[in-house]
Every structure is written in C-alpha cells, then in structure tokens.
Amino acid sequence: MRRVRLVANKDLKICCGIIALMIFTLVLVLVVLYLTVLGPKEPEIIAQIVNLRALNWEVSPKVSLNLSLGIMITVLNPNHGSLEYKSGTAYVRYREKVVAQALVPEAVIPSQRKHNVSMAVEVDGERLKPQADFSSDLNSGCFNCTSSITLLGRVRLLKLFSIKATSFSSCDISVLRSQEVQYTCSSQVSL
C-alpha cells in the first residue's frame, strides 16, 4: 500500500512538472510573438498634398487676402490590428493665431492598410487684418502659415490588447503671390 502511494506521488509530480513546462513554453512563445511580430508599431502619417484651391490677394487700394487650401494626409497602419482614431481638428495659424480650422472625421483603418484624409481649409482675411505684420507680409509677396493636426486613437491587436496612440502632424506653408504653394511637413506618433 505504501509502495503504491509512492508511485502515485511520483507520477503526480512528473505530470505536474510536464504541465508546468508546457505552460511556461506557451507563455514564452506568446511573449516572443507579441514582441516581434504582433507588437504595436507606430502608424506613419504623411502629408501628401497641400494645394491652393482659391486665392484672392490684393494689396491696393486696401490689403486683403482670402485663401482656400486643400490638405491631404495619408495614415499608414503597419500593425496586425486595426487603428481607430476619433475626430479631430486641423488648425491653420498665422503668427501663432488660429485663422482657420477644419474637422477631421473619425475613421477605422484595418490592419496593414493605408487611409487618406482630405480636408479643405478656408483662411479668412478679416481674421488676419488685426495682425501688425500682415500688410508687410502680403507686400513682400509671400504669406507664411502653419497647419497642425492632432489625432487621438487606439491600436487594437487581436481584439485582446488596446494601446492608446497620439499622432501629431505639422506643416509650414508658404503661399506665393504667383499662386505657388511650398510646404515642409513633419509627423510624430507616440504609443
């Protein structure tokens, strides 16, 4: 009777040891997969186009400017899960003062896909007139402004993990009197 109990305890210890080793191996494989293949990657935001839709530029008899810009950004989602972002606002600033804004609609970007976001921004010259340097900037033939977009969202991996993501894109825009637009853009994403 005592011998049977020793054999049963020994078999139980071996069985528990094998199960523990299998669980450890499974957890290790899942952690390695998460950190290498399935881990969250930063979405890439690229300002594709900043174009001039309409321009009314006068310096005499009085200084005035009415400007319509078309802005398109592309969001690339390299993750193995969807990227969902809430609606946001694009701002155009002239000398740190907001002179125009446009709504960026919310969207869900499937895994490993890209999504284009287009918007039109109307700059009203009446908001610019109180600025001290507005007349001299227009007389020089170049109107400089900055656009910025901040999007808040979540990356969902395998419907199990949800990670917050914040993306910020900024463009320095120069509108020339010859109706040419020059711009440089930068983007940052934080998970």
Side-chain angles (χ1 to χ4, degrees):
M1 177 99 153
R2 188 166 166 87
R3 184 159 174 87
V4 173
R5 184 175 271 185
L6 287 175
V7 171
N9 283 342
K10 186 177 180 183
D11 289 343
L12 184 62
K13 287 180 183 178
I14 290 172
C15 184
C16 287
I18 290 172
I19 291 173
L21 184 63
M22 288 175 62
I23 291 173
F24 176 75
T25 305
L26 180 65
V27 168
L28 183 66
V29 167
L30 290 176
V31 167
V32 168
L33 273 175
Y34 178 76
L35 292 177
T36 57
V37 178
L38 302 176
K41 299 170 187 76
E42 291 185 354
E44 188 175 345
I45 299 172
I46 304 165
Q48 296 283 55
I49 301 171
V50 177
N51 63 10
L52 192 61
R53 292 186 173 197
L55 175 65
N56 182 8
W57 184 318
E58 295 178 17
V59 288
S60 66
K62 65 178 188 168
V63 177
S64 70
L65 173 76
N66 286 317
L67 174 68
S68 176
L69 294 171
I71 300 173
M72 184 176 90
I73 60 171
T74 298
V75 181
L76 301 170
N77 181 14
N79 292 296
H80 289 278
S82 63
L83 170 66
E84 175 182 342
Y85 64 86
K86 298 177 183 175
S87 60
T89 306
Y91 296 99
V92 175
R93 289 181 173 81
Y94 173 72
R95 299 197 182 267
E96 302 302 320
K97 181 182 178 192
V98 175
V99 294
Q101 60 189 37
L103 181 67
V104 179
E106 65 181 48
V108 176
I109 305 168
S111 66
Q112 299 181 330
R113 298 276 194 268
K114 68 179 180 177
H115 178 71
N116 291 330
V117 180
S118 298
M119 66 207 80
V121 181
E122 304 287 330
V123 177
D124 184 12
E126 294 301 317
R127 286 180 153 179
L128 299 169
K129 286 184 180 177
Q131 297 285 336
D133 297 321
F134 177 64
S135 297
S136 62
D137 285 350
L138 283 187
N139 286 331
S140 72
C142 183
F143 175 72
N144 297 311
C145 58
T146 303
S147 73
S148 61
I149 303 169
T150 301
L151 297 175
L152 304 173
R154 292 188 174 276
V155 176
R156 298 195 189 275
L157 298 171
L158 300 176
K159 296 184 180 180
L160 296 175
F161 306 105
S162 179
I163 299 163
K164 290 182 181 180
T166 303
S167 61
F168 178 76
S169 181
S170 175
C171 294
D172 294 324
I173 303 168
S174 296
V175 179
L176 304 177
R177 189 165 184 154
S178 62
Q179 297 196 359
E180 181 183 341
V181 178
Q182 299 172 348
Y183 62 94
T184 57
C185 298
S186 63
S187 298
Q188 293 177 321
V189 178
S190 62
L191 293 175

